[in-house]
């Protein structure tokens, strides 16, 4: 990895624009089935865990061909710019499916409630969570500050200590295995992580797409 904090933050945000905002906060183990008993069907409201206590996971540094560990410090989350829940990471009027409310840090986790819209598309997304077809969510965020720890023979550990969450979206499997429907403790079932090579292919595809859009503009 680059050896200065400024370089690391810049690269994380560059990949973040491609991978978190346009795509996904990249996938790892998804985990929980989700506690559907907490879903308010009448009001179309679901409580979600946005960032769990155990959110650390592998990232790939495209420039140096290295794996590093990224972890979000829950207490460093800024929530003021998070308003809308999207049905995927392609943010638009058409993909907006709900409003994000009651944003909070609670029990060492970042949580929020989502009230889904009454239109057909929004209700279909809500129903997929209610039917346990979907369980996970994914956040998009901008990194402001990090703490870097390096140990010989181990991947670099990057603790993100200050960041702004700007998006919350439905995903089939989230990077943070605890980012799911609010649930009772002890229900997480670990699953196999997506391999770095698959993540890298997705990053490259999106980088090429961005370049193509720049050329045609």
């Amino acid at each position: 990895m680059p050896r200065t904090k400024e370089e690391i933050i810049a690269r994380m945000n560059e990949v973040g624009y491609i991978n978190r905002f346009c795509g996904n906060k990249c996938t790892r183990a998804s985990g929980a089935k989700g506690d559907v008993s907490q879903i308010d069907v009448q009001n179309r409201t679901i409580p979600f865990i946005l960032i769990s206590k155990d959110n650390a996971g592998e990232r790939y540094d495209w420039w140096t061909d290295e794996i590093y560990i990224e972890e979000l410090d829950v207490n460093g989350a800024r929530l003021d710019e998070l308003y809308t829940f999207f049905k995927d990471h392609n943010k638009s009027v058409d993909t907006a499916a709900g409003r994000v409310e009651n944003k909070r840090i609670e029990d060492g986790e970042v949580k929020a409630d989502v009230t889904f819209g009454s239109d057909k598309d929004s209700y279909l997304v809500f129903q997929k969570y209610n039917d346990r077809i979907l369980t996970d969510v994914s956040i998009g965020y901008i990194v402001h500050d990090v703490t870097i720890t390096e140990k010989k023979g181990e991947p670099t550990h990057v603790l993100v200590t200050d960041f702004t969450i700007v998006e919350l979206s439905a995903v089939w499997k989230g990077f943070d295995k605890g980012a799911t429907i609010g649930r009772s403790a002890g229900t997480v079932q670990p699953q196999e992580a997506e391999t770095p090579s698959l993540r890298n292919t997705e990053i490259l595809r999106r980088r090429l797409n961005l370049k193509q859009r720049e050329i045609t503009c």
Side-chain angles (χ1 to χ4, degrees):
M1 293 190 68
R3 291 298 177 244
T4 70
K5 180 188 292 188
E6 291 74 18
E7 287 178 310
I8 290 177
I9 292 173
R11 289 188 179 182
M12 291 176 74
N13 283 329
E14 181 176 348
V15 174
Y17 174 78
I18 298 169
N19 194 40
R20 294 177 193 134
F21 303 155
C22 298
N24 190 338
K25 188 182 176 291
C26 219
T27 55
R28 186 164 56 91
S30 81
K33 295 292 185 182
D35 185 356
V36 295
S37 67
Q38 297 192 35
I39 295 177
D40 183 342
V41 175
Q42 182 176 357
N43 294 306
R44 304 184 309 280
T45 299
I46 302 178
F48 286 106
I49 297 171
L50 280 56
I51 306 174
S52 72
K53 299 174 184 177
D54 181 23
N55 67 78
E58 289 186 349
R59 289 282 194 197
Y60 177 70
D61 187 332
W62 180 264
W63 294 265
T64 61
D65 190 29
E66 293 178 7
I67 297 295
Y68 67 97
I69 304 299
E70 179 184 329
E71 182 177 1
L72 302 180
D73 181 354
V74 169
N75 294 314
R78 305 185 194 183
L79 306 173
D80 293 342
E81 295 186 28
L82 180 61
Y83 306 104
T84 306
F85 182 91
F86 295 90
K87 66 180 181 180
D88 54 45
H89 280 279
N90 296 313
K91 298 184 293 182
S92 72
V93 172
D94 292 336
T95 62
R99 64 179 183 271
V100 183
E101 304 173 312
N102 193 22
K103 299 166 288 187
R104 62 203 185 273
I105 296 175
E106 181 180 88
D107 300 326
E109 298 177 315
V110 177
K111 301 179 180 180
D113 300 335
V114 174
T115 297
F116 288 80
S118 57
D119 61 287
K120 179 180 178 181
D121 288 345
S122 299
Y123 181 77
L124 288 175
V125 178
F126 169 79
Q127 194 57 46
K128 286 181 180 180
Y129 281 105
N130 194 36
D131 291 341
R132 300 190 183 187
I133 296 171
L134 293 176
T135 58
D136 289 15
V137 289
S138 179
I139 59 172
Y141 53 92
I142 300 170
V143 177
H144 304 300
D145 201 5
V146 299
T147 297
I148 304 161
T149 303
E150 295 183 299
K151 295 182 180 180
K152 187 175 181 180
E154 297 182 9
T156 300
H157 184 274
V158 180
L159 178 65
V160 182
T161 56
D162 186 7
F163 58 101
T164 300
I165 302 177
V166 295
E167 175 202 339
L168 179 62
S169 298
V171 289
W172 74 278
K173 182 189 289 189
F175 175 90
D176 178 355
K177 65 176 179 287
T180 183
I181 299 172
R183 66 198 189 287
S184 304
T187 61
V188 174
Q189 300 296 324
Q191 298 180 5
E192 183 179 357
E194 182 182 39
T195 63
S197 61
L198 291 176
R199 297 202 301 267
N200 302 344
T201 301
E202 178 66 10
I203 290 172
L204 177 58
R205 182 181 70 81
R206 296 185 185 281
R207 288 172 66 89
L208 291 174
N209 286 342
L210 286 176
K211 288 296 183 184
Q212 289 173 353
R213 288 202 294 271
E214 291 173 359
I215 293 170
T216 56
C217 290

